[in-house]
Amino acid sequence: MTAVPTAPLAVPGSDSSLDDLADLVAGGDVVVLSGAGLSTDSGIPDYRGATGSLRRHTPMTYQTFTRDPRGRHRYWARSFVGWRQIRAARPNDGHRAVADLQAAGLLGGLITQNVDGLHQAGGARDVVELHGGLDRTVCLACGDVADRGELDERLRAANPDFGPRVDEVNPDGDAELPDEVLDGFLMVDCLACGGGPLKPDVVFFGETVPRDRVERCFELVEQACSLLVLGSSLAVMSGYRFVLRAAKLGIPVAIVTVGPTRGDAKAAVRLDAPLGTVLPQLVGRVTG
Ligand SMILES: [Zn+2]
């Protein structure tokens, strides 16, 4: 057997050790709930983490997107630019470690709050995208779901000279652009119904997660032996409710993320540590 790199018994700033986490995960039937903190190492910023952009920029809300054509135009102009950074992002060691746990047969489910597709790019299968995915669009008029890459080609054709440089991109693919630049952007509409407004197939702030998707996640959690939260502060109820359900049913909850989380009091195992370091060590422990 290959020697596994030695990890510290106790992780600084944590209530639990890597051994505690490994014991829980080795039991199998783990349901993973991942958040933005897992993708920060891939260059996708976290709204609420230490480097979060929430203070600099208010994320698009469902209400603004659907009711305000100007707001929608602004989103798509920014997203036309910002999406390229999201699309160029690559999975990191944390994503690959989760895929390794799944390949080892230890996962009973994989739920992500992220819309970047990096779990799948990292080799994971059967990912439940709680908040949807940026690689698709949905028509607000006819409901047609289409590939985002196809939209990008149409937008490039319609906006051959629109290429402002941006430094900041939000996790939802939004980016900062001045008003005078936005005015020069031309949006295109749904091809299926010939004119319906398009929305990225993601759940915006202020929008409800589709009921059947929530039920699927509750089913996974209820059948789990443990719930492992990775890279989420659990600030939004759409993810936190699964922690509450697990705790209510006596299913142990483990949380690995940098900084405090709303679920800390419910956690049997709590590691305040970077995922890119801890998760590969965890894989070494439980699959070695
Ligand atoms: Zn349509």
Side-chain angles (χ1 to χ4, degrees):
M1 196 169 84
T2 319
V4 171
T6 309
L9 285 176
V11 179
S14 300
D15 300 331
S16 312
S17 69
L18 189 61
D19 288 339
D20 297 331
L21 180 64
D23 285 348
L24 200 65
V25 171
D29 279 328
V30 180
V31 166
V32 166
L33 172 65
S34 70
L38 188 60
S39 290
T40 48
D41 280 352
S42 294
I44 296 177
D46 183 350
Y47 274 122
R48 296 182 178 81
T51 60
S53 55
L54 192 59
R55 284 185 207 91
R56 286 197 301 276
H57 173 74
T58 306
M60 174 59 69
T61 64
Y62 182 70
Q63 287 71 22
T64 299
F65 192 89
T66 53
R67 293 174 194 166
D68 174 8
R70 174 82 185 156
R72 194 160 59 234
H73 187 83
R74 187 169 62 238
Y75 171 86
W76 278 120
R78 290 166 162 180
S79 181
F80 176 54
V81 178
W83 187 64
R84 289 173 210 173
Q85 182 176 331
I86 302 278
R87 188 177 55 173
R90 294 291 170 258
N92 61 55
D93 288 346
H95 297 110
R96 283 187 283 272
V98 171
D100 288 344
L101 293 175
Q102 188 180 48
L106 293 169
L107 300 193
L110 174 48
I111 303 165
T112 187
Q113 302 177 131
N114 300 339
V115 295
D116 51 37
L118 290 178
H119 273 301
Q120 297 92 318
R125 293 166 290 103
D126 303 323
V127 182
V128 180
E129 295 180 299
L130 186 63
H131 295 161
L134 274 178
D135 59 340
R136 307 177 296 275
T137 60
V138 60
C139 174
L140 290 173
C142 75
D144 182 64
V145 175
D147 178 63
R148 176 62 186 268
E150 174 199 337
L151 171 66
D152 195 57
E153 284 177 21
R154 290 201 286 141
L155 288 177
R156 282 169 191 265
N159 299 275
D161 301 320
F162 191 86
R165 208 182 95 78
V166 288
D167 297 322
E168 297 291 343
V169 176
N170 285 323
D172 63 1
D174 203 352
E176 299 290 350
L177 291 177
D179 278 354
E180 61 270 22
V181 174
L182 296 178
D183 289 336
F185 176 73
L186 188 67
M187 185 52 196
V188 298
D189 298 318
C190 175
L191 283 177
C193 67
L198 296 175
K199 174 181 173 294
D201 192 11
V202 300
V203 175
F204 280 123
F205 281 75
E207 184 176 1
T208 307
V209 180
R211 192 73 216 161
D212 57 342
R213 203 182 296 164
V214 175
E215 291 302 327
R216 172 80 185 119
C217 293
F218 274 130
E219 274 174 32
L220 289 171
V221 170
E222 286 164 5
Q223 291 163 8
C225 286
S226 61
L227 175 63
L228 174 57
V229 179
L230 302 175
S232 175
S233 61
L234 298 166
V236 292
M237 186 51 82
S238 70
Y240 183 53
R241 58 186 153 185
F242 303 118
V243 171
L244 294 178
R245 179 66 61 93
K248 188 177 177 187
L249 295 173
I251 297 167
V253 175
I255 302 176
V256 186
T257 197
V258 175
T261 86
R262 192 184 187 181
D264 288 351
K266 308 277 184 194
V269 174
R270 173 72 180 100
L271 269 74
D272 187 339
L275 294 161
T277 307
V278 168
L279 291 181
Q281 290 178 347
L282 173 67
V283 170
R285 292 285 183 96
V286 298
T287 66

